[in-house]
Amino acid sequence: MELAISMENDLNLKAILQYQIDLGVDEAITANTFNRFKETKLQGQKKPERILSPKPIQSKQRNNSLLREQKSSSVDNTANEAKLVAEKLVSEVQTLDDLKNSIEAFNGCDYRETAINLVFADGNPKAKIMVIGEAPGQDEDKQGLPFVGRSGQLLDKIFSEAGLSRKSNDSSTAIYITNAVNWRPPGNKTPPPEVIDMFRPFIQKHIELVNPKILVLTGNSSCNAIINRGGITGLRGKWIKGERYFIMPIVHPAFLLRNPKVKRDTWNDILKIKQKLRELS
Ligand code: URA
């Protein structure tokens, strides 16, 4: 929730802050996003330090030429141009570390400027099950890990009931988790199709490198990124045969938090995943 206040307002600022908290304001954002990194220096003032350390920019040497190319193209890079840059970066990727570095270096998406950390992945990369979410939220952005907030905790709980965990060292009980978009969208907005599209080369490479037997897509954005269609209510619970893996769409855990009655359906979907895992091993 957003609320604009005027600093000239003569009300006690602490009271205004409390008023906003009571209204449900949980973030200092406005309707429009600002790129604070591109702001000119405040006159006569030092730019305030960020409380949380900004993401490290690991510009690997072999990405330097691409970065120069990115810089020379204007800030108004179209989504298509950004996707071409993403494809070019991905073409040099051979390992998960390479992939992480290339996403870190990719500057085609403004989310990178406002996010704190890149959220790459968590879990066991040798897992037979790979779970794909939408994009990081506030908690994920702070910790640099996917699905660690409330919805992530619910996801962990559901999988753990089925004996599956991102902490497992055993590939047959492990899961590996990532997102279709690796930077947090400001204000936790749903990433629009052009953003999903520009990150698609990265997520496709991610799947290729992990090479799972089962891909679990959580919610519409994840389905749009991987199977090019949404409509999770119709898609969930039905297997889709991919070229090298089976795909199971499930509803997003954030939806389950708001609609607990749907948990039963999701549990049935997870049982199907368990069964498929048995058949495949
Ligand atoms: N929602 C997602 O889709 N991904 C996360 O990592 C967190 C919340």
Side-chain angles (χ1 to χ4, degrees):
M1 184 171 177
E2 299 157 17
L3 183 73
I5 62 160
S6 151
M7 297 297 272
E8 281 88 49
N9 200 318
D10 59 7
L11 284 172
N12 178 307
L13 282 178
K14 198 168 167 213
I16 297 175
L17 190 60
Q18 188 56 52
Y19 172 65
Q20 292 181 64
I21 292 166
D22 292 345
L23 281 177
V25 173
D26 52 9
E27 275 193 87
I29 57 167
T30 66
N32 300 318
T33 54
F34 292 95
N35 186 342
R36 302 283 180 205
F37 291 89
K38 294 199 180 117
E39 277 178 356
T40 49
K41 256 194 179 163
L42 298 173
Q43 277 169 356
Q45 289 178 36
K46 234 177 125 200
K47 196 173 174 192
E49 298 237 337
R50 301 184 92 192
I51 299 167
L52 291 149
S53 59
K55 63 210 166 286
I57 311 271
Q58 298 170 352
S59 42
K60 286 259 151 151
Q61 208 145 25
R62 61 191 185 72
N63 278 333
N64 279 353
S65 58
L66 282 167
L67 285 174
R68 268 196 299 279
E69 276 178 52
Q70 291 181 66
K71 272 184 199 135
S72 63
S73 58
S74 78
V75 190
D76 318 321
N77 247 351
T78 63
N80 277 344
E81 285 168 341
K83 191 178 176 191
L84 290 178
V85 175
E87 280 166 355
K88 208 163 174 192
L89 284 163
V90 158
S91 69
E92 294 183 20
V93 165
Q94 288 181 1
T95 65
L96 287 172
D97 279 347
D98 290 347
L99 181 63
K100 187 173 180 193
N101 289 331
S102 73
I103 301 174
E104 191 103 58
F106 174 62
N107 67 2
C109 177
D110 277 355
Y111 297 175
R112 177 181 183 265
E113 310 302 330
T114 46
I116 300 162
N117 284 300
L118 173 75
V119 177
F120 182 66
D122 194 21
N124 183 342
K126 295 204 164 68
K128 295 190 173 136
I129 300 176
M130 179 168 183
V131 181
I132 302 181
E134 178 180 281
Q138 190 176 30
D139 295 316
E140 289 75 22
D141 187 30
K142 279 184 189 156
Q143 296 187 38
L145 290 169
F147 279 115
V148 289
R150 277 185 70 221
S151 65
Q153 286 158 22
L154 176 58
L155 193 72
D156 279 344
K157 191 158 174 265
I158 296 171
F159 275 113
S160 81
E161 296 285 333
L164 303 165
S165 162
R166 65 171 102 186
K167 295 207 163 62
S168 173
N169 292 322
D170 175 353
S171 63
S172 58
T173 54
I175 56 176
Y176 180 81
I177 309 181
T178 186
N179 280 308
V181 171
N182 303 93
W183 297 109
R184 179 194 181 198
N188 293 349
K189 300 240 162 50
T190 302
E194 62 273 17
V195 172
I196 296 283
D197 198 39
M198 72 173 78
F199 276 89
R200 194 171 279 122
F202 297 119
I203 188 62
Q204 281 171 340
K205 191 70 187 179
H206 211 151
I207 298 168
E208 187 189 316
L209 290 170
V210 174
N211 193 20
K213 297 228 181 303
I214 297 172
L215 204 54
V216 181
L217 307 180
T218 68
N220 279 320
S221 295
S222 166
C223 290
N224 280 322
I226 310 301
I227 56 172
N228 273 303
R229 60 199 152 114
I232 191 65
T233 325
L235 289 168
R236 64 139 284 274
K238 298 183 193 120
W239 285 110
I240 299 167
K241 176 84 179 78
E243 261 177 49
R244 296 164 62 177
Y245 41 76
F246 288 88
I247 301 171
M248 172 58 76
I250 64 172
V251 300
H252 194 282
F255 183 84
L256 290 183
L257 286 173
R258 296 189 301 271
N259 303 276
K261 280 190 188 153
V262 185
K263 279 186 194 166
R264 180 194 291 257
D265 289 340
T266 301
W267 178 242
N268 287 331
D269 300 345
I270 300 292
L271 291 180
K272 287 182 191 171
I273 293 169
K274 258 304 252 205
Q275 174 62 26
K276 181 68 79 186
L277 202 58
R278 273 194 289 269
E279 287 166 21
L280 295 172
S281 52

